[in-house]
Amino acid sequence: MLNSLAASRRLAMRVVFAQLVVAVLVGIAFLLQGRSAGLAAFAGALIVALGNALFAARFFSTLGSATVATGRLLMGMFLKWIIYIGGILLVLAYWKLPPLAALTGLAAAFAVNVFAFRFKG
């Protein structure tokens, strides 16, 4: 085994924490354009952080067989995408916040994944 479950859990929590930091930073950056743009950017990045936190909590809950782990992986991915799609629909359609700011927040939070896995040491 190349990686322990505890190390994977720690990495997932670091990624979620970094996404929360990015959510705050991008929200503050978009506050220059107005309160709704700042809220949209913060909400867009927060959606990604919440989806990844839910996925990590579901996937890394307990040890089990390969069948159980695969089921938890698939259920976690399904729940994560429900959070992503439902959250962005809530931000854009229900609250009618600026779409560019929301999508920028999403992209910034997704970019954290690239850097977190590249510099995980």
Side-chain angles (χ1 to χ4, degrees), residues 52-72:
N52 284 342
L54 180 65
F55 171 75
R58 181 76 181 138
F59 184 66
F60 296 121
S61 58
T62 60
L63 290 175
S65 66
T67 306
V68 172
T70 303
R72 283 197 318 258

Side-chain angles (χ1 to χ4, degrees), residues 21-31 37-38 41-42 45 101 104-105 108:
V21 170
V22 164
V24 170
L25 292 176
V26 77
I28 290 171
F30 270 91
L31 272 176
F42 175 73
T104 303

